[in-house]
Amino acid sequence: MVTMMVPFSMEDTVGIQGWLQGLARQGLIMESGNNGTFTFKRGEPTPLRYRIDPTKGHPISGPPQAMKDLYAEYGWEYVDSYNRFAHVFVTDDPDAPEPFHSPEALAQATRSAARRRILYWSGGLLFYAWVVFSLWSRKKLDAYAGFHLLLMATGVSKMIYHIRTAFNQEEKIKTPGILDQPTAPSRLFKRSFVLTMVLLGAYLLYHIFR
């Protein structure tokens, strides 16, 4: 088994399924998903096709049986769910029809999911923005407060990134042929992750050795 961090915003369903398709061509087949990490089994390189259905649901119980039956009718098998809203399906049939009869129908389902996720991330954005404002408005901004300000500002930028990603999914899905294209990891997400880890590491070292 191989566990990997998902190198995309979890809102980027198009990017994630393209990434999964690229890994399948390298012999890594998805077994399960979680918030931020997926687990794979090693196998033969296979040109699998993945689809992520953004219909609301709970990852513990998985999608409704009616959804599983609909996908199975079109030749797609349920893999797992993640992020409390996204269900992953796979097929090895290059000619398996799309469960959504048109990009517009999939975009409509994505729009509904995106609104919920934007509301979710907006709550985090408001919290981080309030902390940043509180730190910035201090009469005396020492090094410790300045570090917290930088850390919170990074949090604000990540919230904005997730919101933008969710907002742009609908138009991205309508791009012809994009659903079957392997995608490379997001450089912006990787840089953001590295910066966050560096700041958190510095924060922990400060408290350990001060």
Side-chain angles (χ1 to χ4, degrees):
M1 292 291 181
V2 178
T3 299
M4 300 178 66
M5 184 187 75
V6 179
F8 295 90
S9 164
M10 298 305 283
E11 312 308 323
D12 191 356
T13 55
V14 176
I16 292 173
Q17 68 185 27
W19 174 65
L20 292 173
Q21 288 166 171
L23 290 177
R25 287 164 171 77
Q26 300 173 33
L28 292 175
I29 314 302
M30 181 183 173
E31 282 277 282
S32 62
N34 203 338
N35 291 346
T37 59
F38 285 0
T39 300
F40 302 83
K41 66 177 180 181
R42 295 188 182 277
E44 293 296 322
T46 309
L48 297 177
R49 298 166 64 200
Y50 285 90
R51 290 294 178 268
I52 298 177
D53 192 309
T55 305
K56 184 179 181 181
H58 198 288
I60 294 178
S61 60
Q65 187 60 46
M67 181 187 292
K68 292 182 180 179
D69 293 341
L70 174 64
Y71 273 83
E73 182 180 339
Y74 286 94
W76 298 79
E77 179 183 356
Y78 172 64
V79 181
D80 200 5
S81 302
Y82 70 88
N83 220 28
R84 303 184 71 88
F85 84 106
H87 310 297
V88 184
F89 294 85
V90 67
T91 183
D92 58 3
D93 182 357
D95 299 317
E98 300 289 345
F100 285 89
H101 59 79
S102 69
E104 289 73 20
L106 178 56
Q108 174 65 35
T110 301
R111 184 185 309 132
S112 177
R115 287 171 179 168
R116 294 192 302 270
R117 300 301 296 173
I118 288 171
L119 183 62
Y120 169 81
W121 289 113
S122 294
L125 176 61
L126 289 174
F127 170 76
Y128 277 105
W130 176 78
V131 175
V132 168
F133 177 78
S134 299
L135 291 170
W136 186 259
S137 60
R138 285 188 175 188
K139 293 182 178 179
K140 183 179 180 181
L141 189 67
D142 56 19
Y144 186 69
F147 178 81
H148 275 81
L149 178 63
L150 180 59
L151 189 61
M152 292 300 104
T154 303
V156 168
S157 66
K158 288 186 69 175
M159 298 298 111
I160 294 174
Y161 170 65
H162 289 308
I163 290 171
R164 280 192 60 190
T165 302
F167 185 78
N168 291 333
Q169 283 303 290
E170 183 180 346
E171 288 302 316
K172 192 174 183 180
I173 283 172
K174 295 179 181 178
T175 305
I178 195 170
L179 297 182
D180 283 319
Q181 292 179 4
T183 52
S186 168
R187 292 183 179 180
L188 179 60
F189 181 85
K190 291 174 69 175
R191 290 170 182 171
S192 173
F193 177 80
V194 170
L195 176 59
T196 302
M197 291 299 100
V198 169
L199 290 174
L200 288 175
Y203 180 80
L204 292 174
L205 289 174
Y206 173 83
H207 282 278
I208 292 172
F209 295 106
R210 69 173 181 171

